[in-house]
Amino acid sequence: SMTEITEKYTRLAKYSQNNEGLLEEYRMSVHENRNRLIRIDNMVPQKYKEIHEYISELIEINSSSKYYWLTELKYIPSSELKGFMNYKIMEMINNKLDVEVNISRELNKSIMKNYSIKDKEDLYSIVGILLDNAHEASKLSKEKSVSIQMYMENKNMKLIIANTYKGKLDIKKIDDYGYSSKGSNRGTGLHIVKSIINRNKLFEKETSILDNYFVQTLTIKYKK
């Protein structure tokens, strides 16, 4: 039911908020390690070619860390949303999906300042359903690819979630109750998103297909 879904995502958002400190520590330690390696590289005499090659490999591994998106997430203006999205991205990565994350550092810190608890719960439900759907659909596709982008447009925040998918989609039916190209509970999820957006004017959503990506664009509006 809708209440159960909302409660599930809200709990997850609150729980994820606790991990924010850990993420920051992890990011710092990756950064520190890289700097240490660069210092060691400079200490070793040039003639030891193999050592330099080995160190540069380690620096490379450290730089292209599979947790690169943590740096991107730090610009999200709400610690619950940040932790929540991190948790969902981790699930995708652990499922061997190819995830791309781009988050603008221009995101406005005050955008959700006047959001009520209910507004925030609505947001977690929408974002949770969209991310879970993208995860499920891309897992079944050949390319297994998900792209997540966030940026400001005027005073509003845009969240774009795009995923590859298998089969054919009828874009007009996508928000109807129970519609899904895979007959999973995806249809129910998007129907819930539609009903939240119908009653809460802070959110708007557009659906499109671009190349072989199913694209959901969520507008998160500034509340005066």
Side-chain angles (χ1 to χ4, degrees):
S1 80
M2 185 160 168
T3 325
E4 281 165 3
I5 286 184
T6 302
E7 279 173 5
K8 179 180 97 175
Y9 289 128
T10 303
R11 271 203 310 276
L12 184 57
K14 296 255 191 306
Y15 159 77
S16 305
Q17 184 184 11
N18 304 333
N19 295 337
E20 206 198 335
L22 294 173
L23 300 184
E24 193 53 31
E25 273 173 44
Y26 177 81
R27 218 171 52 75
M28 290 302 289
S29 74
V30 167
H31 185 72
E32 276 294 299
N33 282 340
R34 197 169 155 267
N35 289 347
R36 287 189 192 111
L37 288 165
I38 292 169
R39 284 204 295 277
I40 294 168
D41 198 35
N42 289 330
M43 288 173 191
V44 176
Q46 279 312 306
K47 61 180 178 187
Y48 298 113
K49 292 267 187 295
E50 279 183 18
I51 295 178
H52 284 288
E53 277 169 23
Y54 180 59
I55 293 173
S56 75
E57 269 175 41
L58 290 176
I59 291 172
E60 189 53 41
I61 290 165
N62 255 281
S63 308
S64 67
S65 153
K66 65 172 188 168
Y67 298 108
Y68 81 91
W69 76 85
L70 296 179
T71 313
E72 295 284 321
L73 290 182
K74 79 174 190 205
Y75 303 112
I76 294 176
S78 141
S79 58
E80 290 106 324
L81 187 60
K82 191 186 302 180
F84 181 60
M85 285 179 67
N86 174 64
Y87 183 90
K88 292 286 168 197
I89 293 168
M90 283 291 263
E91 284 185 328
M92 291 178 190
I93 301 261
N94 291 337
N95 246 317
K96 308 280 186 290
L97 299 183
D98 176 24
V99 185
E100 184 198 355
V101 183
N102 278 306
I103 293 175
S104 163
R105 52 192 63 208
E106 310 300 314
L107 289 192
N108 188 337
K109 288 273 175 275
S110 68
I111 183 163
M112 290 165 62
K113 192 177 69 187
N114 298 325
Y115 274 33
S116 67
I117 288 174
K118 187 79 194 91
D119 293 334
K120 287 179 178 173
E121 288 177 351
D122 284 347
L123 178 62
Y124 307 145
S125 297
I126 295 169
V127 174
I129 289 168
L130 295 183
L131 288 172
D132 284 349
N133 285 351
H135 183 159
E136 286 303 311
S138 68
K139 200 165 66 178
L140 297 167
S141 74
K142 192 169 89 247
E143 307 82 355
K144 302 197 180 341
S145 173
V146 177
S147 165
I148 298 166
Q149 320 221 10
M150 284 179 98
Y151 59 92
M152 293 303 290
E153 194 176 78
N154 306 323
K155 281 191 154 179
N156 302 330
M157 192 158 64
K158 293 274 188 186
L159 167 62
I160 300 177
I161 299 169
N163 59 271
T164 52
Y165 60 92
K166 183 184 173 189
K168 293 249 181 293
L169 285 175
D170 182 344
I171 209 89
K172 291 187 191 61
K173 287 188 185 157
I174 204 77
D175 292 331
D176 294 352
Y177 185 79
Y179 174 78
S180 162
S181 68
K182 278 287 149 284
S184 67
N185 57 7
R186 190 152 87 217
T188 327
L190 285 178
H191 182 71
I192 288 174
V193 169
K194 186 181 179 180
S195 59
I196 293 173
I197 288 171
N198 282 344
R199 70 170 158 69
N200 192 333
K201 297 300 170 225
L202 284 173
F203 310 111
E204 269 173 22
K205 182 176 75 74
E206 284 165 46
T207 302
S208 57
I209 291 191
L210 190 65
D211 299 329
N212 56 337
Y213 280 86
F214 176 68
V215 185
Q216 298 269 31
T217 303
L218 179 70
T219 305
I220 301 162
K221 295 183 195 166
Y222 178 75
K223 188 180 191 179
K224 291 185 186 55

